[in-house]
Amino acid sequence: MGKWKHRILFELQKNDVMRFNELKRAIPGITQKMLTAQLRELEHHDIVVRKVYAQIPPKVEYAMTEYGSSLHPLLAAMNDWGQKHAEHLKQLEEENSLKQTNA
Amino acid sequence: MGKWKHRILFELQKNDVMRFNELKRAIPGITQKMLTAQLRELEHHDIVVRKVYAQIPPKVEYAMTEYGSSLHPLLAAMNDWGQKHAEHLKQLEEENSLKQTNA
DNA sequence: CGGGATCCGATTCGATACTG
DNA sequence: CAGTATCGAATCGGATCCCG
């Protein structure tokens, strides 16, 4: 499936409309190949719209569809939990460090 | 990440406590390798507990931790949306078929 | 019963180079 | 600017065999 979809959608939700390189900058670590591939999938699933301006230099805008917007609560919840999970993982690691120190 | 985690957690949520083969039967298509691997990950992330009974034949029970239970609303939402998404995909396919028929 | 170990093909992904 | 094309590395995942 790809781990980036969440991030892409989360960014598109915050910013409404974004250009390709704008998305790329907003998501550190993603390659243009991945970004393209996942955007194509999202577009194919009618979650994202791709709007091409016939001009030079090229301009392509991405935004969520109305259907895609129905994901909003889910995305928000996932993001919340993701943050908690990150903290939780940190705590787990610290506990493991302590055990090793005491052993 | 693995596509099975959601299913595993969903089953564990419904049934509270499940044995290995019980989970395997409940999730058609999963191999024991995948089930084992994902359960280990979930265990490592403190989302699932693994309880081993020292007896023959072996008995191992899996259940969600309290922390893992915090995923409940998220899992429910994901499941809901997953079903809607399936319907939506069917509609998209039908529309595409029509276009091809008319062309 | 509940796995672990291994082999192997399929798929994913990153890096890089090129293009209208 | 917004991609496409290609290659090789890494990971995923299924099949199979084995074990206490």
Side-chain angles (χ1 to χ4, degrees):
Chain A
M1 240 249 302
K3 49 188 172 179
W4 299 108
K5 289 225 181 82
H6 312 78
R7 283 301 313 272
I8 296 175
L9 292 177
F10 192 70
E11 293 299 327
L12 281 180
Q13 213 163 240
K14 277 199 311 194
N15 299 28
D16 267 21
V17 175
M18 294 182 81
R19 299 183 57 172
F20 186 83
N21 279 345
E22 202 174 351
L23 270 169
K24 190 164 183 297
R25 274 190 303 271
I27 307 178
I30 198 171
T31 60
Q32 94 285 38
K33 178 184 175 179
M34 279 304 100
L35 184 53
T36 306
Q38 311 254 351
L39 281 171
R40 290 288 184 282
E41 270 187 68
L42 290 169
E43 189 193 358
H44 194 236
H45 287 3
D46 190 32
I47 292 171
V48 154
V49 247
R50 178 166 180 262
K51 192 170 181 179
V52 185
Y53 294 85
Q55 62 183 45
I56 299 212
K59 178 177 173 183
V60 180
E61 287 180 347
Y62 294 91
M64 299 196 64
T65 61
E66 196 184 326
Y67 173 63
S69 302
S70 69
L71 274 171
H72 190 120
L74 192 45
L75 285 171
M78 290 181 63
N79 215 258
D80 281 9
W81 200 86
Q83 306 225 335
K84 283 189 207 161
H85 190 56
E87 287 176 27
H88 194 76
L89 271 183
K90 253 181 27 188
Q91 288 183 19
L92 285 182
E93 282 173 22
E94 285 170 18
E95 287 175 21
N96 286 341
S97 308
L98 280 178
K99 281 179 193 165
Q100 293 191 359
T101 308
N102 294 348
Chain B
M1 240 249 301
K3 50 186 171 179
W4 300 106
K5 288 228 182 75
H6 311 80
R7 282 302 312 273
I8 295 176
L9 292 177
F10 193 70
E11 293 299 328
L12 281 180
Q13 214 163 239
K14 276 198 310 189
N15 299 28
D16 267 21
V17 175
M18 295 182 81
R19 299 183 57 171
F20 186 82
N21 280 344
E22 202 175 351
L23 270 169
K24 191 164 183 298
R25 275 190 302 271
I27 307 177
I30 198 171
T31 59
Q32 96 284 38
K33 177 184 175 180
M34 280 304 100
L35 184 52
T36 306
Q38 310 255 347
L39 281 171
R40 290 289 182 283
E41 269 188 67
L42 290 170
E43 188 191 357
H44 194 236
H45 288 2
D46 190 32
I47 292 172
V48 154
V49 249
R50 178 165 181 264
K51 192 170 179 179
V52 184
Y53 294 85
Q55 62 181 47
I56 299 212
K59 177 178 175 183
V60 181
E61 287 182 346
Y62 294 92
M64 299 195 65
T65 61
E66 197 185 325
Y67 174 63
S69 301
S70 69
L71 273 171
H72 190 119
L74 192 45
L75 285 171
M78 290 182 63
N79 215 259
D80 280 10
W81 200 87
Q83 307 225 334
K84 283 189 206 159
H85 191 55
E87 287 175 27
H88 194 74
L89 271 184
K90 253 181 27 186
Q91 288 182 19
L92 285 181
E93 281 173 23
E94 284 170 19
E95 286 175 22
N96 287 339
S97 307
L98 280 178
K99 281 180 194 164
Q100 293 192 1
T101 308
N102 294 348

